[in-house]
Amino acid sequence: MVNLDLLMDKTMDFMIGGELIKVNEPSIGMVKRFSKIEDNEDGLERQINMVVEILNNNTSAKKFTRAQLDIFTPRILKAIINEVLGSIRDTDNNPN
């Protein structure tokens, strides 16, 4: 038996402003939207929108706004994106 509940309960943890935010792994729909982000002139705006959506998909129902992300550095934005992409790659490589 494969217990899918164990897979559904996995989170990516981010410390933001001293607060631990447990973000659920992205859904297939989020992954599809995320894969459409391109490095063009509005790529940064799309990345910011996606990171807001990713951070809002957390276990404590905490909500983030674009304005809150405006104080993030590009390095922070990239770290969140890389963590999500790493999670997706891990799932592709080991679905269990």
Side-chain angles (χ1 to χ4, degrees), residues 3-26:
N3 186 347
L4 298 179
D5 289 337
L6 295 175
L7 297 175
M8 295 173 109
D9 291 338
K10 287 191 172 194
T11 61
M12 295 172 285
D13 299 343
F14 297 97
M15 185 68 72
I16 302 174
E19 182 178 359
L20 179 64
I21 306 296
K22 293 182 158 294
V23 174
N24 296 308
E25 288 190 334

PDB file of all heavy atoms in Angstrom, residues 3-26:
ATOM      1  N   ASN A   3       0.922   4.985   1.012  1.00  0.00           N
ATOM      2  CA  ASN A   3       0.203   5.938   1.840  1.00  0.00           C
ATOM      3  C   ASN A   3       0.432   7.342   1.282  1.00  0.00           C
ATOM      4  O   ASN A   3       1.434   7.994   1.573  1.00  0.00           O
ATOM      5  CB  ASN A   3       0.685   5.853   3.295  1.00  0.00           C
ATOM      6  CG  ASN A   3      -0.135   6.724   4.210  1.00  0.00           C
ATOM      7  OD1 ASN A   3      -0.915   7.570   3.780  1.00  0.00           O
ATOM      8  ND2 ASN A   3       0.039   6.522   5.513  1.00  0.00           N
ATOM      9  N   LEU A   4      -0.494   7.810   0.461  1.00  0.00           N
ATOM     10  CA  LEU A   4      -0.374   9.116  -0.174  1.00  0.00           C
ATOM     11  C   LEU A   4      -0.481  10.258   0.835  1.00  0.00           C
ATOM     12  O   LEU A   4      -0.007  11.366   0.565  1.00  0.00           O
ATOM     13  CB  LEU A   4      -1.421   9.264  -1.270  1.00  0.00           C
ATOM     14  CG  LEU A   4      -1.301   8.273  -2.425  1.00  0.00           C
ATOM     15  CD1 LEU A   4      -2.417   8.498  -3.440  1.00  0.00           C
ATOM     16  CD2 LEU A   4       0.062   8.361  -3.087  1.00  0.00           C
ATOM     17  N   ASP A   5      -1.090  10.007   1.984  1.00  0.00           N
ATOM     18  CA  ASP A   5      -1.182  11.045   3.006  1.00  0.00           C
ATOM     19  C   ASP A   5       0.203  11.516   3.446  1.00  0.00           C
ATOM     20  O   ASP A   5       0.402  12.701   3.728  1.00  0.00           O
ATOM     21  CB  ASP A   5      -1.962  10.554   4.226  1.00  0.00           C
ATOM     22  CG  ASP A   5      -3.445  10.403   3.926  1.00  0.00           C
ATOM     23  OD1 ASP A   5      -3.934  11.052   2.973  1.00  0.00           O
ATOM     24  OD2 ASP A   5      -4.110   9.643   4.647  1.00  0.00           O
ATOM     25  N   LEU A   6       1.157  10.591   3.496  1.00  0.00           N
ATOM     26  CA  LEU A   6       2.517  10.977   3.874  1.00  0.00           C
ATOM     27  C   LEU A   6       3.120  11.933   2.855  1.00  0.00           C
ATOM     28  O   LEU A   6       3.855  12.855   3.210  1.00  0.00           O
ATOM     29  CB  LEU A   6       3.410   9.740   4.031  1.00  0.00           C
ATOM     30  CG  LEU A   6       3.052   8.793   5.159  1.00  0.00           C
ATOM     31  CD1 LEU A   6       3.933   7.548   5.119  1.00  0.00           C
ATOM     32  CD2 LEU A   6       3.184   9.495   6.498  1.00  0.00           C
ATOM     33  N   LEU A   7       2.821  11.716   1.590  1.00  0.00           N
ATOM     34  CA  LEU A   7       3.331  12.592   0.547  1.00  0.00           C
ATOM     35  C   LEU A   7       2.625  13.940   0.557  1.00  0.00           C
ATOM     36  O   LEU A   7       3.220  14.969   0.265  1.00  0.00           O
ATOM     37  CB  LEU A   7       3.179  11.935  -0.830  1.00  0.00           C
ATOM     38  CG  LEU A   7       3.954  10.646  -1.039  1.00  0.00           C
ATOM     39  CD1 LEU A   7       3.622  10.036  -2.391  1.00  0.00           C
ATOM     40  CD2 LEU A   7       5.447  10.893  -0.925  1.00  0.00           C
ATOM     41  N   MET A   8       1.353  13.940   0.909  1.00  0.00           N
ATOM     42  CA  MET A   8       0.576  15.180   0.917  1.00  0.00           C
ATOM     43  C   MET A   8       0.976  16.096   2.071  1.00  0.00           C
ATOM     44  O   MET A   8       0.762  17.293   2.007  1.00  0.00           O
ATOM     45  CB  MET A   8      -0.911  14.874   0.977  1.00  0.00           C
ATOM     46  CG  MET A   8      -1.414  14.159  -0.251  1.00  0.00           C
ATOM     47  SD  MET A   8      -3.113  13.637  -0.070  1.00  0.00           S
ATOM     48  CE  MET A   8      -3.894  14.776  -1.187  1.00  0.00           C
ATOM     49  N   ASP A   9       1.550  15.530   3.113  1.00  0.00           N
ATOM     50  CA  ASP A   9       1.902  16.314   4.292  1.00  0.00           C
ATOM     51  C   ASP A   9       3.303  16.912   4.237  1.00  0.00           C
ATOM     52  O   ASP A   9       3.736  17.560   5.185  1.00  0.00           O
ATOM     53  CB  ASP A   9       1.769  15.455   5.558  1.00  0.00           C
ATOM     54  CG  ASP A   9       0.313  15.118   5.859  1.00  0.00           C
ATOM     55  OD1 ASP A   9      -0.578  15.849   5.383  1.00  0.00           O
ATOM     56  OD2 ASP A   9       0.081  14.124   6.555  1.00  0.00           O
ATOM     57  N   LYS A  10       4.034  16.697   3.135  1.00  0.00           N
ATOM     58  CA  LYS A  10       5.385  17.240   3.032  1.00  0.00           C
ATOM     59  C   LYS A  10       5.323  18.747   2.836  1.00  0.00           C
ATOM     60  O   LYS A  10       4.472  19.259   2.115  1.00  0.00           O
ATOM     61  CB  LYS A  10       6.148  16.599   1.888  1.00  0.00           C
ATOM     62  CG  LYS A  10       6.565  15.181   2.175  1.00  0.00           C
ATOM     63  CD  LYS A  10       7.520  14.687   1.136  1.00  0.00           C
ATOM     64  CE  LYS A  10       8.066  13.345   1.577  1.00  0.00           C
ATOM     65  NZ  LYS A  10       9.211  12.949   0.807  1.00  0.00           N
ATOM     66  N   THR A  11       6.242  19.455   3.491  1.00  0.00           N
ATOM     67  CA  THR A  11       6.305  20.909   3.354  1.00  0.00           C
ATOM     68  C   THR A  11       7.739  21.349   3.067  1.00  0.00           C
ATOM     69  O   THR A  11       8.690  20.612   3.303  1.00  0.00           O
ATOM     70  CB  THR A  11       5.829  21.623   4.635  1.00  0.00           C
ATOM     71  OG1 THR A  11       6.683  21.261   5.733  1.00  0.00           O
ATOM     72  CG2 THR A  11       4.387  21.303   4.967  1.00  0.00           C
ATOM     73  N   MET A  12       7.837  22.575   2.571  1.00  0.00           N
ATOM     74  CA  MET A  12       9.116  23.258   2.429  1.00  0.00           C
ATOM     75  C   MET A  12       9.081  24.364   3.472  1.00  0.00           C
ATOM     76  O   MET A  12       8.113  25.129   3.524  1.00  0.00           O
ATOM     77  CB  MET A  12       9.256  23.847   1.026  1.00  0.00           C
ATOM     78  CG  MET A  12       9.315  22.804  -0.066  1.00  0.00           C
ATOM     79  SD  MET A  12       9.235  23.533  -1.714  1.00  0.00           S
ATOM     80  CE  MET A  12       7.491  23.948  -1.772  1.00  0.00           C
ATOM     81  N   ASP A  13      10.088  24.433   4.307  1.00  0.00           N
ATOM     82  CA  ASP A  13      10.065  25.383   5.411  1.00  0.00           C
ATOM     83  C   ASP A  13      10.945  26.579   5.112  1.00  0.00           C
ATOM     84  O   ASP A  13      12.103  26.436   4.710  1.00  0.00           O
ATOM     85  CB  ASP A  13      10.523  24.691   6.696  1.00  0.00           C
ATOM     86  CG  ASP A  13       9.616  23.524   7.074  1.00  0.00           C
ATOM     87  OD1 ASP A  13       8.488  23.456   6.558  1.00  0.00           O
ATOM     88  OD2 ASP A  13      10.031  22.692   7.889  1.00  0.00           O
ATOM     89  N   PHE A  14      10.375  27.772   5.331  1.00  0.00           N
ATOM     90  CA  PHE A  14      11.081  29.024   5.129  1.00  0.00           C
ATOM     91  C   PHE A  14      11.008  29.830   6.418  1.00  0.00           C
ATOM     92  O   PHE A  14       9.943  29.909   7.035  1.00  0.00           O
ATOM     93  CB  PHE A  14      10.456  29.855   4.000  1.00  0.00           C
ATOM     94  CG  PHE A  14      10.517  29.194   2.650  1.00  0.00           C
ATOM     95  CD1 PHE A  14       9.434  28.495   2.153  1.00  0.00           C
ATOM     96  CD2 PHE A  14      11.662  29.280   1.874  1.00  0.00           C
ATOM     97  CE1 PHE A  14       9.478  27.895   0.902  1.00  0.00           C
ATOM     98  CE2 PHE A  14      11.720  28.681   0.625  1.00  0.00           C
ATOM     99  CZ  PHE A  14      10.634  27.990   0.135  1.00  0.00           C
ATOM    100  N   MET A  15      12.114  30.442   6.810  1.00  0.00           N
ATOM    101  CA  MET A  15      12.124  31.350   7.943  1.00  0.00           C
ATOM    102  C   MET A  15      12.049  32.764   7.366  1.00  0.00           C
ATOM    103  O   MET A  15      12.945  33.190   6.643  1.00  0.00           O
ATOM    104  CB  MET A  15      13.406  31.176   8.767  1.00  0.00           C
ATOM    105  CG  MET A  15      13.438  31.999  10.038  1.00  0.00           C
ATOM    106  SD  MET A  15      12.246  31.484  11.281  1.00  0.00           S
ATOM    107  CE  MET A  15      12.950  29.949  11.831  1.00  0.00           C
ATOM    108  N   ILE A  16      10.969  33.474   7.660  1.00  0.00           N
ATOM    109  CA  ILE A  16      10.765  34.829   7.152  1.00  0.00           C
ATOM    110  C   ILE A  16      10.470  35.748   8.324  1.00  0.00           C
ATOM    111  O   ILE A  16       9.476  35.573   9.011  1.00  0.00           O
ATOM    112  CB  ILE A  16       9.608  34.877   6.131  1.00  0.00           C
ATOM    113  CG1 ILE A  16       9.884  33.935   4.955  1.00  0.00           C
ATOM    114  CG2 ILE A  16       9.382  36.304   5.638  1.00  0.00           C
ATOM    115  CD1 ILE A  16       8.746  33.815   3.968  1.00  0.00           C
ATOM    116  N   GLY A  17      11.350  36.707   8.536  1.00  0.00           N
ATOM    117  CA  GLY A  17      11.153  37.647   9.637  1.00  0.00           C
ATOM    118  C   GLY A  17      11.078  36.962  10.979  1.00  0.00           C
ATOM    119  O   GLY A  17      10.321  37.379  11.842  1.00  0.00           O
ATOM    120  N   GLY A  18      11.846  35.892  11.153  1.00  0.00           N
ATOM    121  CA  GLY A  18      11.856  35.173  12.413  1.00  0.00           C
ATOM    122  C   GLY A  18      10.691  34.213  12.589  1.00  0.00           C
ATOM    123  O   GLY A  18      10.567  33.564  13.622  1.00  0.00           O
ATOM    124  N   GLU A  19       9.832  34.118  11.593  1.00  0.00           N
ATOM    125  CA  GLU A  19       8.662  33.239  11.672  1.00  0.00           C
ATOM    126  C   GLU A  19       8.841  32.070  10.702  1.00  0.00           C
ATOM    127  O   GLU A  19       9.189  32.261   9.538  1.00  0.00           O
ATOM    128  CB  GLU A  19       7.397  34.014  11.312  1.00  0.00           C
ATOM    129  CG  GLU A  19       6.137  33.213  11.419  1.00  0.00           C
ATOM    130  CD  GLU A  19       4.886  34.032  11.093  1.00  0.00           C
ATOM    131  OE1 GLU A  19       4.996  35.234  10.804  1.00  0.00           O
ATOM    132  OE2 GLU A  19       3.799  33.448  11.132  1.00  0.00           O
ATOM    133  N   LEU A  20       8.592  30.860  11.196  1.00  0.00           N
ATOM    134  CA  LEU A  20       8.679  29.665  10.364  1.00  0.00           C
ATOM    135  C   LEU A  20       7.394  29.538   9.544  1.00  0.00           C
ATOM    136  O   LEU A  20       6.301  29.490  10.103  1.00  0.00           O
ATOM    137  CB  LEU A  20       8.882  28.411  11.216  1.00  0.00           C
ATOM    138  CG  LEU A  20       8.960  27.091  10.456  1.00  0.00           C
ATOM    139  CD1 LEU A  20      10.180  27.068   9.539  1.00  0.00           C
ATOM    140  CD2 LEU A  20       9.004  25.926  11.422  1.00  0.00           C
ATOM    141  N   ILE A  21       7.561  29.506   8.220  1.00  0.00           N
ATOM    142  CA  ILE A  21       6.430  29.337   7.319  1.00  0.00           C
ATOM    143  C   ILE A  21       6.576  27.976   6.657  1.00  0.00           C
ATOM    144  O   ILE A  21       7.542  27.721   5.957  1.00  0.00           O
ATOM    145  CB  ILE A  21       6.395  30.449   6.240  1.00  0.00           C
ATOM    146  CG1 ILE A  21       6.414  31.843   6.879  1.00  0.00           C
ATOM    147  CG2 ILE A  21       5.199  30.265   5.312  1.00  0.00           C
ATOM    148  CD1 ILE A  21       5.215  32.166   7.731  1.00  0.00           C
ATOM    149  N   LYS A  22       5.618  27.110   6.907  1.00  0.00           N
ATOM    150  CA  LYS A  22       5.623  25.764   6.329  1.00  0.00           C
ATOM    151  C   LYS A  22       4.763  25.798   5.069  1.00  0.00           C
ATOM    152  O   LYS A  22       3.547  25.872   5.150  1.00  0.00           O
ATOM    153  CB  LYS A  22       5.082  24.746   7.323  1.00  0.00           C
ATOM    154  CG  LYS A  22       5.971  24.547   8.529  1.00  0.00           C
ATOM    155  CD  LYS A  22       5.366  23.490   9.435  1.00  0.00           C
ATOM    156  CE  LYS A  22       6.405  22.877  10.320  1.00  0.00           C
ATOM    157  NZ  LYS A  22       7.414  22.099   9.654  1.00  0.00           N
ATOM    158  N   VAL A  23       5.427  25.753   3.913  1.00  0.00           N
ATOM    159  CA  VAL A  23       4.748  25.855   2.630  1.00  0.00           C
ATOM    160  C   VAL A  23       4.498  24.451   2.086  1.00  0.00           C
ATOM    161  O   VAL A  23       5.409  23.625   2.041  1.00  0.00           O
ATOM    162  CB  VAL A  23       5.609  26.681   1.643  1.00  0.00           C
ATOM    163  CG1 VAL A  23       4.992  26.683   0.258  1.00  0.00           C
ATOM    164  CG2 VAL A  23       5.794  28.103   2.156  1.00  0.00           C
ATOM    165  N   ASN A  24       3.260  24.211   1.697  1.00  0.00           N
ATOM    166  CA  ASN A  24       2.915  22.927   1.080  1.00  0.00           C
ATOM    167  C   ASN A  24       3.631  22.800  -0.255  1.00  0.00           C
ATOM    168  O   ASN A  24       3.893  23.796  -0.926  1.00  0.00           O
ATOM    169  CB  ASN A  24       1.407  22.833   0.861  1.00  0.00           C
ATOM    170  CG  ASN A  24       0.643  22.845   2.154  1.00  0.00           C
ATOM    171  OD1 ASN A  24       0.917  22.086   3.066  1.00  0.00           O
ATOM    172  ND2 ASN A  24      -0.330  23.738   2.255  1.00  0.00           N
ATOM    173  N   GLU A  25       3.939  21.581  -0.634  1.00  0.00           N
ATOM    174  CA  GLU A  25       4.537  21.375  -1.944  1.00  0.00           C
ATOM    175  C   GLU A  25       3.552  21.854  -3.003  1.00  0.00           C
ATOM    176  O   GLU A  25       2.340  21.765  -2.821  1.00  0.00           O
ATOM    177  CB  GLU A  25       4.888  19.908  -2.144  1.00  0.00           C
ATOM    178  CG  GLU A  25       6.071  19.483  -1.314  1.00  0.00           C
ATOM    179  CD  GLU A  25       6.581  18.096  -1.680  1.00  0.00           C
ATOM    180  OE1 GLU A  25       5.804  17.270  -2.190  1.00  0.00           O
ATOM    181  OE2 GLU A  25       7.774  17.863  -1.454  1.00  0.00           O
ATOM    182  N   PRO A  26       4.059  22.366  -4.118  1.00  0.00           N
ATOM    183  CA  PRO A  26       3.159  22.910  -5.141  1.00  0.00           C
ATOM    184  C   PRO A  26       2.309  21.826  -5.789  1.00  0.00           C
ATOM    185  O   PRO A  26       2.748  20.696  -5.971  1.00  0.00           O
ATOM    186  CB  PRO A  26       4.117  23.533  -6.161  1.00  0.00           C
ATOM    187  CG  PRO A  26       5.424  22.884  -5.924  1.00  0.00           C
ATOM    188  CD  PRO A  26       5.459  22.498  -4.477  1.00  0.00           C
TER     189      PRO A  26
END
